[in-house]
Amino acid sequence: PKNFICSFEGCDASFNKAWKLDAHLCKHTGEKPFVCDYKGCGKGFTRNYHLTRHQLIHGGEKPFQCPNDGCNAAFSTKSNLKRHTENKHGNQDAPYVCDFEACGKAFKKHQQLKIHQCEHTNLLPFECDYEGCNKRFPVPSKLRRHKKIHKGYACEKEDCSFVGKTWTEYQKHLKDRHTEKFICELCNKTFKRKDFLKQHQKTHDQHREVFRCPHEGCGRTYTTTFNLQSHILSFHEERREYVCRQPGCGKAFAMKWTLNTHSISQDAFCLMYHLPKKRPPRPKRSLASRLSGYVPPK
């Protein structure tokens, strides 16, 4: 199950490992936490594996040996070895060879060969056969996309006659008219994603394990001990030891993980709008609280 969900607005990515989510969040924030400490280098990477592979360059290690007889070439990465094998020893899996003089490049597919030959002929191989058009394109995918201009983008949904002039117009129509909504059969709550509905339906399970707040008169329940601990520290003991140090914020949290999530969201918001780092507008309630069906008193 993919329990680690990206918290950035408009991103539906989810992962089954925490480190995968951390690496994904770097795409939003631009952060590269794994930095090469070699003198004069300082390159940054989003994953520790990428840093380890990079450091082979500084160490002089070349563990990837060329398997061809009589060739003693060695490389620090597997991708460099593959490039060497294809360029120096030929690719046996590529039967389509360019017959232009002094070229000799080989390709696995005939279509790839046709695309390559455009460099020699300066003539794009794929032509639009629509009457009066005759435009040419380097790859079939661009030709297919171009043909939609003549035919339009017809909606494939049943009993819908909409035809969009552009792909953007067609996508907007699907979002406005045909967005699927997932409805809970027990309480009629609606959700945009199926996994959100599944997570919400656990709140109706009478046999599910819940963790009740031990403080008298509270009555709040949680599905994880982490959320229960965060609730007790924040609302009953008022211990918010982790403070956001961004200028003008000062928001305090009971759990370090919550502070990290807050900091990442804040940095991404400022990068997006080129603003000084401030707290982005976001709902006060957590995702777990919203999906639980709990309605806070006014």
Side-chain angles (χ1 to χ4, degrees):
K2 297 184 177 181
N3 296 326
F4 300 92
I5 303 172
C6 179
S7 59
F8 279 81
E9 184 178 359
C11 182
D12 298 331
S14 59
F15 305 90
N16 60 350
K17 300 287 185 181
W19 67 266
K20 292 183 179 180
L21 175 60
D22 293 338
H24 167 77
L25 291 174
C26 292
K27 296 181 180 179
H28 295 293
T29 63
E31 181 184 6
K32 294 183 178 180
F34 301 97
V35 181
C36 179
D37 56 0
Y38 191 83
K39 184 178 180 181
C41 182
K43 283 189 176 181
F45 302 89
T46 58
R47 292 175 58 182
N48 189 34
Y49 164 73
H50 293 161
L51 172 61
T52 304
R53 184 179 62 182
H54 162 78
Q55 287 175 334
L56 293 173
I57 300 173
H58 301 303
E61 299 179 26
K62 297 182 178 180
F64 300 96
Q65 300 285 334
C66 180
N68 290 276
D69 294 336
C71 184
N72 299 322
F75 302 90
S76 58
T77 64
K78 191 174 182 178
S79 59
N80 289 342
L81 171 61
K82 183 180 178 181
R83 189 181 301 112
H84 160 80
T85 304
E86 292 179 353
N87 294 337
K88 298 297 182 180
H89 303 291
N91 191 347
Q92 297 177 356
D93 297 330
Y96 300 99
V97 182
C98 179
D99 55 2
F100 276 81
E101 185 179 359
C103 182
K105 286 188 177 180
F107 302 89
K108 293 182 179 181
K109 297 181 180 179
H110 182 257
Q111 190 177 95
Q112 294 174 338
L113 173 61
K114 290 181 65 177
I115 295 171
H116 160 74
Q117 287 176 337
C118 297
E119 300 176 6
H120 301 293
T121 62
N122 293 324
L123 181 64
L124 301 179
F126 302 98
E127 182 180 2
C128 178
D129 55 3
Y130 193 81
E131 185 178 358
C133 183
N134 299 326
K135 284 189 175 182
R136 307 182 74 95
F137 300 88
V139 293
S141 58
K142 291 189 176 182
L143 173 60
R144 288 194 297 269
R145 189 183 307 166
H146 163 77
K147 284 184 175 181
K148 289 288 186 179
I149 297 175
H150 303 301
K151 298 179 181 179
Y153 296 85
C155 184
E156 299 178 355
K157 300 293 183 179
E158 189 176 356
D159 300 328
C160 185
S161 58
F162 175 83
V163 179
K165 294 181 180 180
T166 63
W167 176 255
T168 303
E169 186 178 330
Y170 171 65
Q171 289 296 319
K172 187 177 184 300
H173 164 77
L174 290 179
K175 184 178 180 180
D176 295 341
R177 299 294 180 87
H178 303 293
T179 300
E180 185 178 4
K181 293 183 179 180
F182 301 94
I183 304 175
C184 178
E185 298 177 353
L186 297 175
C187 64
N188 294 325
K189 276 183 172 289
T190 59
F191 301 89
K192 293 181 179 180
R193 288 170 45 177
K194 191 175 182 179
D195 56 334
F196 285 174
L197 172 61
K198 286 184 177 181
Q199 190 172 350
H200 162 77
Q201 285 174 336
K202 293 179 182 179
T203 62
H204 298 300
D205 187 3
Q206 297 180 355
H207 303 289
R208 70 186 178 116
E209 184 181 11
V210 295
F211 302 93
R212 187 176 301 275
C213 180
H215 287 260
E216 185 178 357
C218 182
R220 293 294 298 272
T221 59
Y222 297 89
T223 56
T224 64
T225 55
F226 176 88
N227 291 338
L228 174 60
Q229 183 183 6
S230 178
H231 162 74
I232 293 174
L233 292 175
S234 300
F235 295 97
H236 296 296
E237 299 182 9
E238 296 184 356
R239 290 171 53 188
R240 299 181 177 90
E241 302 175 359
Y242 300 96
V243 182
C244 179
R245 302 191 180 280
Q246 298 292 349
C249 182
K251 185 74 175 180
F253 302 91
M255 310 295 281
K256 187 176 181 180
W257 183 87
T258 312
L259 171 62
N260 292 338
T261 304
H262 162 77
S263 300
I264 291 172
S265 302
Q266 188 180 46
D267 292 346
F269 179 82
C270 295
L271 287 171
M272 185 181 300
Y273 296 101
H274 306 286
L275 299 175
K277 292 181 179 180
K278 295 181 180 179
R279 175 174 171 79
R282 57 180 298 185
K284 294 182 180 180
R285 295 181 61 193
S286 66
L287 176 62
S289 176
R290 295 198 303 273
L291 295 178
S292 68
Y294 171 76
V295 180
K298 296 183 179 180

